[in-house]
Amino acid sequence: MLIGATALLLGGGGLAAYATTALAGNNTPDAAAGHAQHTASAFTLSCPDVGERLRQVPRSAKLPVSKGLSALDKQVHDAYHSMMSGSSGGSGGGSVLNGLQTKREKTIKMMVSAIAKDAKRPGYLLKMSGCTMKPVNEGAGEGGNDSTKSVQDGWYQGQDPNQTQGQDQGQSQDPGQAQSQDPGQGQDQNGGQQQGQPGGPSPDDFVDINNVQPNADAPPFAAPKGGNASTGTFTTECGRNEDGHFNSDNVIVTPGVSNGAHHTHDYVGNKATDAFADDNKLAQSDTTCDNGDQSTHYWPVLRKLDGNAEQKPGAAQDANVGTTLTPATVTLTFRGSQSGEVRAMPRFLKIITGDAKAFTNGTKNANASWSCTGFEDRQLKDKYPLCPQGSQVVRTFAFQNCWNGRDIDSGNHRDHMAFSDQNGNCPQGFEAVPQLVQRITYDVPQGNSFAVDSFPEQLHKPVTDHGDFINVMPDNLMSQAVECINDGRECS
């Protein structure tokens, strides 16, 4: 089935014919060696996202699950490297996939056993060990090939642009049903093969902002307007990471594991944030914010593609090459709801927006927003903008603005939060909280010269961009922010 899908996607040409025989394992060693790099540049690895499917992770299982998730990412990294280097022993992609599945089965079984000690056994995870080859010129799934997708007001006021209107966004997917992406979905309209640096990005990942039609009625940092809306804003100033706080950890997804992100994060706010920073440590830490806000804000670094290879985790060791760019500006704004007042976020609430694996997962959770200063009525989801001279690249993350009123986190770090609909109404069982908008600008060299850090198999695609937040505001500061927002004032 994989072979047929692969041949169909590649259109049956010479590359498709080679890919078919390579994946079947029928090519000769000499042929495999001769075409290894050609094939590697045409495919990436697509594996089911085990972390996305987690529902309940008891305290006793948090560290084993964290280690398991990091191990799964490392296994994909190693398999991708083997595929790219042509070191699969002459047996083509089939050897890579078989070896990867064996390793994943062992790791997933360990995670399932750890969870089952104190919670319902998530046997459905055992079906998620198998991976496939994904053509690199294929889009990211639903919505993935439409870089100038029309953006409605509702997105910038809290609506998930990938959800169907009227759907209860608070409901989680049935964990008993294994996800599988239709390989026929999301063909890249350009149809071009990757011609950029090994591992991405591709020239097809960039678009001149002058060629993008306006698709947003308001920038994503604009406050809601009219009716019963809570129209105020609260801005917290935390600097641009002038102190150079970087690491490749992810304290939300893989706590207790060094290099759990396998890409480098840029931090502002709480100075103690790393994989081993629990809530108590965060609460005792100093901060770069000028109002005593100890919250943690982080996102993948943007790199200048100049060939600089730092030999350390999260950088060259994880296929992220280039000089790290310091943001020109970082703006952190909380805004209200167009349906009414917002209530305070609980301290230590954890939120992730966007999806670091959106190229292979599809765009269900993607929330990247790219633009240029002076052109922010034109927002891009799966393309990097090429900005005119004097204009800065803009990354914007508008976070989920509805909370379930109970949990500061959830098994997949998503189910406790949701987006409101286009009218600002939260799903049943959820209530409006201040919506965080992280807006980051950069001075970048002209041309196809920059890319966001990513997992290697995600090819540095712009759709994989994402932001993270842990609310560690002192309670009195959060109260001030909520009062300001609900009163319609602009505060900082």
Side-chain angles (χ1 to χ4, degrees), residues 1-17:
M1 181 172 65
L2 170 64
I3 295 170
T6 303
L8 176 65
L9 284 166
L10 291 178
L15 179 58

Side-chain angles (χ1 to χ4, degrees), residues 390-408:
S391 174
Q392 296 172 326
V393 167
V394 185
R395 299 163 73 185
T396 309
F397 305 111
F399 281 66
Q400 297 88 318
N401 59 334
C402 299
W403 174 50
N404 71 5
R406 302 184 310 272
D407 306 307
I408 61 170

Side-chain angles (χ1 to χ4, degrees), residues 297-373:
H297 300 262
Y298 59 104
W299 45 81
V301 297
L302 202 66
R303 292 185 189 270
K304 179 171 64 175
L305 302 180
D306 56 5
N308 180 35
E310 297 178 276
Q311 294 301 323
K312 62 182 182 180
Q317 292 181 24
D318 289 295
N320 292 298
V321 176
T323 299
T324 300
L325 293 169
T326 299
T329 65
V330 173
T331 306
L332 307 171
T333 302
F334 295 86
R335 65 187 185 190
S337 164
Q338 65 265 44
S339 67
E341 293 189 344
V342 297
R343 63 163 291 182
M345 291 180 175
R347 204 172 193 207
F348 307 116
L349 179 69
K350 299 169 178 64
I351 317 178
I352 297 173
T353 199
D355 184 359
K357 299 176 182 176
F359 182 60
T360 56
N361 281 349
T363 58
K364 174 186 174 185
N365 293 314
N367 196 24
S369 192
W370 296 87
S371 190
C372 303
T373 54

Side-chain angles (χ1 to χ4, degrees), residues 155-179:
W155 183 6
Y156 297 133
Q157 297 174 1
Q159 183 187 15
D160 181 351
N162 299 301
Q163 294 285 355
T164 302
Q165 290 186 14
Q167 180 180 348
D168 184 356
Q169 299 169 28
Q171 294 179 350
S172 60
Q173 183 176 353
D174 180 2
Q177 297 179 356
Q179 285 183 314

